[in-house]
Amino acid sequence: MDRMTSNLLDEAIGFDDPTPLIGRLLLVEDCVETSGAFVLHHLLKRAFSSPHSSNVVIFLAFSQSFIHYDRILRKLGCNLAAQRDSGRFVFFDMLTLGCSDRSGKETGEGVLVGLYCKIQRAVHALIQENKKHVTIVIDDISLLEVAANGSSNHVLDFLHYCHTLLSEVGCSIIALDHEDVYMDIERPLSLQLEYLADVLIKVGPLATGIAKDVHGQLTVLNKPVEGLQDKLRNRVQNFQFYIKENGTEFFYSGSRA
Amino acid sequence: MAESICRALRDGALQGELAPALTIKDNINSPFGFHAFSHVLTQLSSNILAGKSQSRGLVLLSFSRSPAYYVQLLKKRGLDVGSSAKWIQILDCYTDPLGWKQRFMEGENVSNVDQEVSNLSHLCTNVGDMDKLFSSIIALGKGFVGEGTVRFCVAVDSVTNMLRHSSISALAGLLSSLRSNDSVSSTLWLVHEDLHEEKVIAAFEYMSSIVATLEALTPSPYVSRSNMDNSYLEHRSTKGRFHVRMKRRNGRVRVISEDFNVEQSGIKFTSISSEDAVINQSLIPKVQFNLQLSEKERNDRARVVLPFEHQGTGKPIQIYDGRRSFSESKDDNTPLMTNEKGNDDGSGKGEIVYFRDSDDEMPDSDEDPDDDLDI
């Protein structure tokens, strides 16, 4: 599949522009009732099905194993294992890291520093291979915080360092975060992330209650870029979605046939 | 008002006084603080370049954006950042704030930063050390102003990020020593209001002579999840209100408000639009009357006899109710409502005299007199 038909989500993120996410951070916020993982799957598939073979994804998996993602992406028509073998999908299995860490003596910061070093090496290696556009996907921030022994400052430091890669080599970051795991006092972490994000996607259950034909709703906020980008984006778009086995349907509320 | 801020920063400090300091604060509902910051920064830079300001140079602490970004931004606004005019130095606290890259990635850095940027920026790898930060700021500043009486400006693009690495007291110490330094002309910093406790924000406001707040005009789109459906979100605006509080040396405080709009070319300030001004004026109460009564008015009011007050005067009241009187009126033909008729004490009073014509006339009843009408 060379080209994907554009849907509401792609339009809201700005995929009409060829490189909407270069140097930008996309944050997906979901909640217990509605998982936002499907947005990650969608973006993964998008990255691999675009004609640019220079797209590479570095995936930090804190919540699921490779087999899980492979199985889902296969349904969406994308072979992750093949992509991994061809070097376009770099998978960091952080599930095992969590276990070794608990028995080990490494501190939360040490884990994240080590992880960052690995990422930076991988990114630089890819840049030298002329793979221009690297996307770092983090699934998910709350488990990253667990890996950092619950220190949100370390998480922010880690994200800051990843952010320096955005401006240095033009990466993108896509991160998933759970909005409701933070108590009000801890809200600064998710607020900090919202400040950091250039594109914010909030996933939630349908406001009017559970429905058979609608699985939830999305709000996409595309922030304006300060003065440098020619196109001023500041759009908020709301729509609803329906998750199927082989993809997700997006539609405006009330417009589903 | 944005101009008056820029003027205040341009004019700088008097000998022996603290340098003027500007706090720009925003919140997540109107996260355009950085736009305002870069606006003030470019204004200040062009003043410095034109030689209009007290300061001759600018030291920028970049925490949230890379030095390359700033160089590009200033160039885009038509300012000469070339090495010939050595007026700006960037203390790079963005690239490696904690020294991770330096410690663990030694020699592996593939930096494609161009020469121009690296000439202007100086890497700081331990941003938590306020003393070191202070001495490097002063050293950078002295670098272009020399040891004389010439001053320079200091700009911090996010004290929010600084606070992650240091305590508020250490940071406050740094900012106050900058303000009281003889070679600092003015300082400005940006803070995200809702990421800190109130006392932290208050501390920054105490330390600054000008506080600029950016506020959204519309209510927050983030209030609750149930709001996700509201259609006003579709038009989340780039507009907002810009409040400025300026403290004079003599303690006078001036509060001014303006509208702002974030456009492609940057943030634009306009005076509050006329229709809003009209609304504001009509909200100010213009009361032409007294809310309190005077003594005379109170006495006069006490003397007013209310319409039914005269009926009592200590005697039983008979009010014609239409039924009871029917039987009474058979006994005597006295008027029904004349309980005080002929009495001396009621002289001069108004009264109603009523004689029934005959007994055939039915008294009032509950029957509807019009019930035979066929409408």
Side-chain angles (χ1 to χ4, degrees), chain B residues 37-78:
Chain B
F37 178 83
S38 55
H39 173 82
V40 176
L41 192 73
T42 43
Q43 291 292 317
L44 193 59
S45 308
S46 61
N47 279 330
I48 291 172
L49 270 176
K52 282 191 223 156
S53 70
Q54 186 196 34
S55 63
R56 286 287 164 268
L58 175 75
V59 176
L60 173 64
L61 275 73
S62 66
F63 278 86
S64 62
R65 300 291 194 286
S66 65
Y69 175 91
Y70 282 106
V71 170
Q72 211 185 336
L73 179 81
L74 292 173
K75 268 190 190 164
K76 195 157 176 153
R77 301 277 162 87

mmCIF file of all heavy atoms in Angstrom, chain B residues 37-78:
data_model
loop_
_atom_site.group_PDB
_atom_site.id
_atom_site.type_symbol
_atom_site.label_atom_id
_atom_site.label_comp_id
_atom_site.label_asym_id
_atom_site.label_seq_id
_atom_site.Cartn_x
_atom_site.Cartn_y
_atom_site.Cartn_z
ATOM 1 N N PHE B 37 7.382 36.759 24.972
ATOM 2 C CA PHE B 37 8.800 36.827 25.337
ATOM 3 C C PHE B 37 9.649 37.156 24.115
ATOM 4 O O PHE B 37 10.502 38.059 24.159
ATOM 5 C CB PHE B 37 9.226 35.481 25.942
ATOM 6 C CG PHE B 37 10.676 35.402 26.313
ATOM 7 C CD1 PHE B 37 11.126 35.916 27.521
ATOM 8 C CD2 PHE B 37 11.598 34.824 25.457
ATOM 9 C CE1 PHE B 37 12.457 35.846 27.866
ATOM 10 C CE2 PHE B 37 12.929 34.758 25.792
ATOM 11 C CZ PHE B 37 13.359 35.275 27.004
ATOM 12 N N SER B 38 9.389 36.458 23.009
ATOM 13 C CA SER B 38 10.233 36.699 21.838
ATOM 14 C C SER B 38 9.953 38.082 21.252
ATOM 15 O O SER B 38 10.860 38.715 20.704
ATOM 16 C CB SER B 38 10.051 35.600 20.789
ATOM 17 O OG SER B 38 8.707 35.478 20.447
ATOM 18 N N HIS B 39 8.715 38.561 21.427
ATOM 19 C CA HIS B 39 8.412 39.926 20.968
ATOM 20 C C HIS B 39 9.249 40.951 21.742
ATOM 21 O O HIS B 39 9.924 41.801 21.147
ATOM 22 C CB HIS B 39 6.921 40.214 21.170
ATOM 23 C CG HIS B 39 6.527 41.629 20.893
ATOM 24 N ND1 HIS B 39 6.280 42.090 19.623
ATOM 25 C CD2 HIS B 39 6.359 42.688 21.713
ATOM 26 C CE1 HIS B 39 5.979 43.369 19.677
ATOM 27 N NE2 HIS B 39 6.009 43.762 20.939
ATOM 28 N N VAL B 40 9.211 40.838 23.068
ATOM 29 C CA VAL B 40 9.972 41.774 23.895
ATOM 30 C C VAL B 40 11.465 41.633 23.600
ATOM 31 O O VAL B 40 12.194 42.626 23.500
ATOM 32 C CB VAL B 40 9.683 41.524 25.396
ATOM 33 C CG1 VAL B 40 10.540 42.408 26.269
ATOM 34 C CG2 VAL B 40 8.223 41.763 25.698
ATOM 35 N N LEU B 41 11.885 40.378 23.422
ATOM 36 C CA LEU B 41 13.305 40.130 23.158
ATOM 37 C C LEU B 41 13.750 40.806 21.867
ATOM 38 O O LEU B 41 14.809 41.452 21.817
ATOM 39 C CB LEU B 41 13.534 38.620 23.067
ATOM 40 C CG LEU B 41 14.980 38.155 23.073
ATOM 41 C CD1 LEU B 41 15.555 38.297 24.462
ATOM 42 C CD2 LEU B 41 15.071 36.706 22.620
ATOM 43 N N THR B 42 12.934 40.686 20.823
ATOM 44 C CA THR B 42 13.358 41.288 19.554
ATOM 45 C C THR B 42 13.315 42.817 19.635
ATOM 46 O O THR B 42 14.192 43.487 19.086
ATOM 47 C CB THR B 42 12.488 40.810 18.376
ATOM 48 O OG1 THR B 42 11.142 40.809 18.796
ATOM 49 C CG2 THR B 42 12.872 39.430 17.945
ATOM 50 N N GLN B 43 12.299 43.351 20.335
ATOM 51 C CA GLN B 43 12.243 44.809 20.494
ATOM 52 C C GLN B 43 13.499 45.318 21.203
ATOM 53 O O GLN B 43 14.125 46.293 20.792
ATOM 54 C CB GLN B 43 11.012 45.208 21.315
ATOM 55 C CG GLN B 43 9.697 44.979 20.620
ATOM 56 C CD GLN B 43 9.520 45.913 19.452
ATOM 57 O OE1 GLN B 43 9.833 47.087 19.555
ATOM 58 N NE2 GLN B 43 9.055 45.394 18.333
ATOM 59 N N LEU B 44 13.825 44.592 22.274
ATOM 60 C CA LEU B 44 14.982 44.979 23.066
ATOM 61 C C LEU B 44 16.248 44.871 22.220
ATOM 62 O O LEU B 44 17.108 45.764 22.235
ATOM 63 C CB LEU B 44 15.063 44.044 24.279
ATOM 64 C CG LEU B 44 15.997 44.403 25.414
ATOM 65 C CD1 LEU B 44 15.618 45.760 25.974
ATOM 66 C CD2 LEU B 44 15.900 43.362 26.513
ATOM 67 N N SER B 45 16.330 43.805 21.434
ATOM 68 C CA SER B 45 17.510 43.604 20.598
ATOM 69 C C SER B 45 17.649 44.720 19.575
ATOM 70 O O SER B 45 18.746 45.220 19.346
ATOM 71 C CB SER B 45 17.418 42.275 19.856
ATOM 72 O OG SER B 45 17.158 41.244 20.748
ATOM 73 N N SER B 46 16.518 45.116 18.974
ATOM 74 C CA SER B 46 16.644 46.150 17.953
ATOM 75 C C SER B 46 17.017 47.477 18.603
ATOM 76 O O SER B 46 17.764 48.269 18.011
ATOM 77 C CB SER B 46 15.365 46.265 17.128
ATOM 78 O OG SER B 46 14.297 46.619 17.950
ATOM 79 N N ASN B 47 16.528 47.712 19.827
ATOM 80 C CA ASN B 47 16.945 48.914 20.551
ATOM 81 C C ASN B 47 18.436 48.896 20.833
ATOM 82 O O ASN B 47 19.116 49.918 20.720
ATOM 83 C CB ASN B 47 16.192 49.038 21.877
ATOM 84 C CG ASN B 47 14.810 49.615 21.674
ATOM 85 O OD1 ASN B 47 14.599 50.396 20.740
ATOM 86 N ND2 ASN B 47 13.885 49.246 22.525
ATOM 87 N N ILE B 48 18.936 47.724 21.210
ATOM 88 C CA ILE B 48 20.365 47.613 21.508
ATOM 89 C C ILE B 48 21.173 47.865 20.246
ATOM 90 O O ILE B 48 22.146 48.619 20.242
ATOM 91 C CB ILE B 48 20.681 46.207 22.076
ATOM 92 C CG1 ILE B 48 20.059 46.052 23.464
ATOM 93 C CG2 ILE B 48 22.180 45.984 22.160
ATOM 94 C CD1 ILE B 48 20.146 44.660 24.015
ATOM 95 N N LEU B 49 20.702 47.241 19.137
ATOM 96 C CA LEU B 49 21.435 47.395 17.882
ATOM 97 C C LEU B 49 21.431 48.841 17.408
ATOM 98 O O LEU B 49 22.411 49.322 16.852
ATOM 99 C CB LEU B 49 20.815 46.494 16.814
ATOM 100 C CG LEU B 49 21.402 45.092 16.717
ATOM 101 C CD1 LEU B 49 20.643 44.284 15.705
ATOM 102 C CD2 LEU B 49 22.869 45.170 16.342
ATOM 103 N N ALA B 50 20.295 49.517 17.641
ATOM 104 C CA ALA B 50 20.201 50.906 17.208
ATOM 105 C C ALA B 50 20.923 51.843 18.176
ATOM 106 O O ALA B 50 20.987 53.046 17.941
ATOM 107 C CB ALA B 50 18.745 51.302 17.082
ATOM 108 N N GLY B 51 21.422 51.302 19.261
ATOM 109 C CA GLY B 51 22.133 52.133 20.227
ATOM 110 C C GLY B 51 21.217 53.022 21.039
ATOM 111 O O GLY B 51 21.659 54.002 21.645
ATOM 112 N N LYS B 52 19.909 52.688 21.048
ATOM 113 C CA LYS B 52 18.969 53.551 21.759
ATOM 114 C C LYS B 52 18.877 53.193 23.232
ATOM 115 O O LYS B 52 18.377 53.960 24.029
ATOM 116 C CB LYS B 52 17.571 53.395 21.152
ATOM 117 C CG LYS B 52 17.376 54.155 19.860
ATOM 118 C CD LYS B 52 15.893 54.137 19.519
ATOM 119 C CE LYS B 52 15.674 53.875 18.056
ATOM 120 N NZ LYS B 52 14.358 53.313 17.770
ATOM 121 N N SER B 53 19.286 51.989 23.577
ATOM 122 C CA SER B 53 19.033 51.558 24.942
ATOM 123 C C SER B 53 20.256 51.772 25.821
ATOM 124 O O SER B 53 21.363 51.992 25.338
ATOM 125 C CB SER B 53 18.656 50.079 24.952
ATOM 126 O OG SER B 53 19.789 49.337 24.620
ATOM 127 N N GLN B 54 19.986 51.695 27.114
ATOM 128 C CA GLN B 54 21.082 51.861 28.064
ATOM 129 C C GLN B 54 22.089 50.725 27.913
ATOM 130 O O GLN B 54 23.280 50.926 28.035
ATOM 131 C CB GLN B 54 20.512 51.875 29.477
ATOM 132 C CG GLN B 54 21.532 52.172 30.542
ATOM 133 C CD GLN B 54 21.035 51.789 31.915
ATOM 134 O OE1 GLN B 54 20.309 50.817 32.081
ATOM 135 N NE2 GLN B 54 21.427 52.564 32.913
ATOM 136 N N SER B 55 21.546 49.522 27.631
ATOM 137 C CA SER B 55 22.445 48.374 27.563
ATOM 138 C C SER B 55 23.073 48.277 26.179
ATOM 139 O O SER B 55 22.526 48.750 25.195
ATOM 140 C CB SER B 55 21.661 47.103 27.861
ATOM 141 O OG SER B 55 20.688 46.919 26.872
ATOM 142 N N ARG B 56 24.202 47.661 26.153
ATOM 143 C CA ARG B 56 24.932 47.511 24.891
ATOM 144 C C ARG B 56 24.957 46.056 24.432
ATOM 145 O O ARG B 56 25.525 45.727 23.406
ATOM 146 C CB ARG B 56 26.378 48.015 25.051
ATOM 147 C CG ARG B 56 26.505 49.498 25.111
ATOM 148 C CD ARG B 56 26.281 50.125 23.733
ATOM 149 N NE ARG B 56 26.044 51.550 23.850
ATOM 150 C CZ ARG B 56 24.828 52.100 23.964
ATOM 151 N NH1 ARG B 56 23.764 51.343 23.933
ATOM 152 N NH2 ARG B 56 24.677 53.400 24.089
ATOM 153 N N GLY B 57 24.384 45.202 25.225
ATOM 154 C CA GLY B 57 24.435 43.794 24.850
ATOM 155 C C GLY B 57 23.350 43.001 25.555
ATOM 156 O O GLY B 57 22.623 43.523 26.403
ATOM 157 N N LEU B 58 23.219 41.740 25.172
ATOM 158 C CA LEU B 58 22.167 40.898 25.724
ATOM 159 C C LEU B 58 22.749 39.512 25.999
ATOM 160 O O LEU B 58 23.401 38.927 25.131
ATOM 161 C CB LEU B 58 21.021 40.799 24.719
ATOM 162 C CG LEU B 58 19.873 39.861 25.049
ATOM 163 C CD1 LEU B 58 18.996 40.471 26.123
ATOM 164 C CD2 LEU B 58 19.033 39.597 23.815
ATOM 165 N N VAL B 59 22.511 39.033 27.216
ATOM 166 C CA VAL B 59 22.870 37.650 27.531
ATOM 167 C C VAL B 59 21.570 36.881 27.657
ATOM 168 O O VAL B 59 20.688 37.250 28.421
ATOM 169 C CB VAL B 59 23.670 37.551 28.842
ATOM 170 C CG1 VAL B 59 23.937 36.092 29.175
ATOM 171 C CG2 VAL B 59 24.980 38.293 28.717
ATOM 172 N N LEU B 60 21.441 35.836 26.857
ATOM 173 C CA LEU B 60 20.198 35.066 26.841
ATOM 174 C C LEU B 60 20.467 33.678 27.406
ATOM 175 O O LEU B 60 21.360 32.975 26.940
ATOM 176 C CB LEU B 60 19.687 34.973 25.402
ATOM 177 C CG LEU B 60 18.499 34.076 25.126
ATOM 178 C CD1 LEU B 60 17.264 34.586 25.841
ATOM 179 C CD2 LEU B 60 18.226 34.005 23.635
ATOM 180 N N LEU B 61 19.703 33.308 28.426
ATOM 181 C CA LEU B 61 19.793 31.947 28.953
ATOM 182 C C LEU B 61 18.717 31.132 28.258
ATOM 183 O O LEU B 61 17.524 31.351 28.505
ATOM 184 C CB LEU B 61 19.554 31.931 30.458
ATOM 185 C CG LEU B 61 20.747 32.198 31.373
ATOM 186 C CD1 LEU B 61 21.112 33.659 31.321
ATOM 187 C CD2 LEU B 61 20.408 31.796 32.790
ATOM 188 N N SER B 62 19.105 30.222 27.387
ATOM 189 C CA SER B 62 18.089 29.464 26.664
ATOM 190 C C SER B 62 17.893 28.123 27.341
ATOM 191 O O SER B 62 18.806 27.318 27.419
ATOM 192 C CB SER B 62 18.499 29.289 25.209
ATOM 193 O OG SER B 62 19.630 28.484 25.122
ATOM 194 N N PHE B 63 16.690 27.935 27.865
ATOM 195 C CA PHE B 63 16.361 26.673 28.523
ATOM 196 C C PHE B 63 15.387 25.847 27.701
ATOM 197 O O PHE B 63 15.437 24.639 27.701
ATOM 198 C CB PHE B 63 15.743 26.933 29.904
ATOM 199 C CG PHE B 63 16.757 27.181 30.969
ATOM 200 C CD1 PHE B 63 17.267 28.444 31.181
ATOM 201 C CD2 PHE B 63 17.211 26.146 31.756
ATOM 202 C CE1 PHE B 63 18.208 28.671 32.156
ATOM 203 C CE2 PHE B 63 18.157 26.364 32.735
ATOM 204 C CZ PHE B 63 18.656 27.619 32.938
ATOM 205 N N SER B 64 14.462 26.532 27.022
ATOM 206 C CA SER B 64 13.407 25.775 26.357
ATOM 207 C C SER B 64 13.567 25.726 24.848
ATOM 208 O O SER B 64 12.853 24.979 24.193
ATOM 209 C CB SER B 64 12.045 26.367 26.709
ATOM 210 O OG SER B 64 11.969 27.696 26.259
ATOM 211 N N ARG B 65 14.478 26.534 24.300
ATOM 212 C CA ARG B 65 14.692 26.503 22.851
ATOM 213 C C ARG B 65 16.192 26.455 22.596
ATOM 214 O O ARG B 65 16.985 26.906 23.423
ATOM 215 C CB ARG B 65 14.127 27.751 22.170
ATOM 216 C CG ARG B 65 12.655 27.984 22.348
ATOM 217 C CD ARG B 65 11.849 26.935 21.585
ATOM 218 N NE ARG B 65 10.452 27.284 21.443
ATOM 219 C CZ ARG B 65 9.556 27.238 22.422
ATOM 220 N NH1 ARG B 65 9.917 26.896 23.625
ATOM 221 N NH2 ARG B 65 8.293 27.545 22.197
ATOM 222 N N SER B 66 16.547 25.922 21.466
ATOM 223 C CA SER B 66 17.974 25.808 21.172
ATOM 224 C C SER B 66 18.518 27.156 20.714
ATOM 225 O O SER B 66 17.774 27.993 20.203
ATOM 226 C CB SER B 66 18.174 24.767 20.088
ATOM 227 O OG SER B 66 17.580 25.207 18.898
ATOM 228 N N PRO B 67 19.816 27.370 20.898
ATOM 229 C CA PRO B 67 20.422 28.626 20.435
ATOM 230 C C PRO B 67 20.190 28.845 18.946
ATOM 231 O O PRO B 67 19.933 29.976 18.516
ATOM 232 C CB PRO B 67 21.905 28.427 20.728
ATOM 233 C CG PRO B 67 21.956 27.440 21.813
ATOM 234 C CD PRO B 67 20.776 26.543 21.621
ATOM 235 N N ALA B 68 20.226 27.751 18.173
ATOM 236 C CA ALA B 68 20.016 27.879 16.730
ATOM 237 C C ALA B 68 18.641 28.483 16.447
ATOM 238 O O ALA B 68 18.473 29.301 15.539
ATOM 239 C CB ALA B 68 20.135 26.511 16.078
ATOM 240 N N TYR B 69 17.674 28.085 17.259
ATOM 241 C CA TYR B 69 16.322 28.617 17.090
ATOM 242 C C TYR B 69 16.322 30.132 17.258
ATOM 243 O O TYR B 69 15.719 30.858 16.472
ATOM 244 C CB TYR B 69 15.408 27.958 18.120
ATOM 245 C CG TYR B 69 14.007 28.504 18.130
ATOM 246 C CD1 TYR B 69 13.024 27.928 17.332
ATOM 247 C CD2 TYR B 69 13.672 29.591 18.926
ATOM 248 C CE1 TYR B 69 11.745 28.433 17.322
ATOM 249 C CE2 TYR B 69 12.394 30.100 18.912
ATOM 250 C CZ TYR B 69 11.433 29.514 18.120
ATOM 251 O OH TYR B 69 10.166 30.023 18.108
ATOM 252 N N TYR B 70 17.027 30.609 18.290
ATOM 253 C CA TYR B 70 17.029 32.051 18.556
ATOM 254 C C TYR B 70 17.744 32.814 17.454
ATOM 255 O O TYR B 70 17.301 33.883 17.047
ATOM 256 C CB TYR B 70 17.680 32.343 19.908
ATOM 257 C CG TYR B 70 16.762 32.056 21.052
ATOM 258 C CD1 TYR B 70 16.944 30.942 21.847
ATOM 259 C CD2 TYR B 70 15.688 32.894 21.315
ATOM 260 C CE1 TYR B 70 16.088 30.665 22.882
ATOM 261 C CE2 TYR B 70 14.821 32.617 22.344
ATOM 262 C CZ TYR B 70 15.024 31.499 23.125
ATOM 263 O OH TYR B 70 14.163 31.230 24.131
ATOM 264 N N VAL B 71 18.841 32.239 16.989
ATOM 265 C CA VAL B 71 19.585 32.909 15.925
ATOM 266 C C VAL B 71 18.688 33.057 14.704
ATOM 267 O O VAL B 71 18.585 34.125 14.093
ATOM 268 C CB VAL B 71 20.864 32.116 15.604
ATOM 269 C CG1 VAL B 71 21.515 32.659 14.350
ATOM 270 C CG2 VAL B 71 21.823 32.181 16.778
ATOM 271 N N GLN B 72 17.964 31.962 14.403
ATOM 272 C CA GLN B 72 17.055 31.980 13.260
ATOM 273 C C GLN B 72 15.940 32.999 13.470
ATOM 274 O O GLN B 72 15.573 33.742 12.564
ATOM 275 C CB GLN B 72 16.476 30.582 13.116
ATOM 276 C CG GLN B 72 16.140 30.197 11.708
ATOM 277 C CD GLN B 72 15.467 28.841 11.689
ATOM 278 O OE1 GLN B 72 15.649 28.031 12.610
ATOM 279 N NE2 GLN B 72 14.684 28.580 10.668
ATOM 280 N N LEU B 73 15.419 33.030 14.701
ATOM 281 C CA LEU B 73 14.319 33.947 15.023
ATOM 282 C C LEU B 73 14.744 35.400 14.851
ATOM 283 O O LEU B 73 14.050 36.200 14.221
ATOM 284 C CB LEU B 73 13.861 33.708 16.466
ATOM 285 C CG LEU B 73 12.727 34.585 16.985
ATOM 286 C CD1 LEU B 73 11.396 34.043 16.504
ATOM 287 C CD2 LEU B 73 12.733 34.657 18.494
ATOM 288 N N LEU B 74 15.919 35.736 15.389
ATOM 289 C CA LEU B 74 16.374 37.122 15.322
ATOM 290 C C LEU B 74 16.686 37.509 13.880
ATOM 291 O O LEU B 74 16.389 38.628 13.441
ATOM 292 C CB LEU B 74 17.611 37.312 16.206
ATOM 293 C CG LEU B 74 17.337 37.191 17.709
ATOM 294 C CD1 LEU B 74 18.629 37.224 18.490
ATOM 295 C CD2 LEU B 74 16.417 38.301 18.189
ATOM 296 N N LYS B 75 17.221 36.567 13.144
ATOM 297 C CA LYS B 75 17.504 36.838 11.729
ATOM 298 C C LYS B 75 16.215 37.108 10.981
ATOM 299 O O LYS B 75 16.125 38.005 10.163
ATOM 300 C CB LYS B 75 18.193 35.628 11.100
ATOM 301 C CG LYS B 75 19.697 35.679 11.158
ATOM 302 C CD LYS B 75 20.229 34.554 10.300
ATOM 303 C CE LYS B 75 21.702 34.373 10.474
ATOM 304 N NZ LYS B 75 22.102 33.060 9.936
ATOM 305 N N LYS B 76 15.231 36.283 11.282
ATOM 306 C CA LYS B 76 13.952 36.404 10.596
ATOM 307 C C LYS B 76 13.302 37.758 10.885
ATOM 308 O O LYS B 76 12.572 38.293 10.065
ATOM 309 C CB LYS B 76 13.036 35.269 11.032
ATOM 310 C CG LYS B 76 11.863 35.109 10.111
ATOM 311 C CD LYS B 76 11.283 33.721 10.183
ATOM 312 C CE LYS B 76 10.055 33.687 9.296
ATOM 313 N NZ LYS B 76 9.744 32.389 8.764
ATOM 314 N N ARG B 77 13.569 38.294 12.064
ATOM 315 C CA ARG B 77 13.033 39.624 12.392
ATOM 316 C C ARG B 77 13.943 40.738 11.887
ATOM 317 O O ARG B 77 13.800 41.887 12.273
ATOM 318 C CB ARG B 77 12.870 39.762 13.902
ATOM 319 C CG ARG B 77 11.962 38.744 14.538
ATOM 320 C CD ARG B 77 10.518 39.144 14.433
ATOM 321 N NE ARG B 77 9.622 38.015 14.655
ATOM 322 C CZ ARG B 77 9.190 37.633 15.841
ATOM 323 N NH1 ARG B 77 9.540 38.298 16.897
ATOM 324 N NH2 ARG B 77 8.395 36.596 15.968
ATOM 325 N N GLY B 78 14.903 40.373 11.085
ATOM 326 C CA GLY B 78 15.736 41.387 10.453
ATOM 327 C C GLY B 78 16.818 41.960 11.346
ATOM 328 O O GLY B 78 17.224 43.107 11.182
#
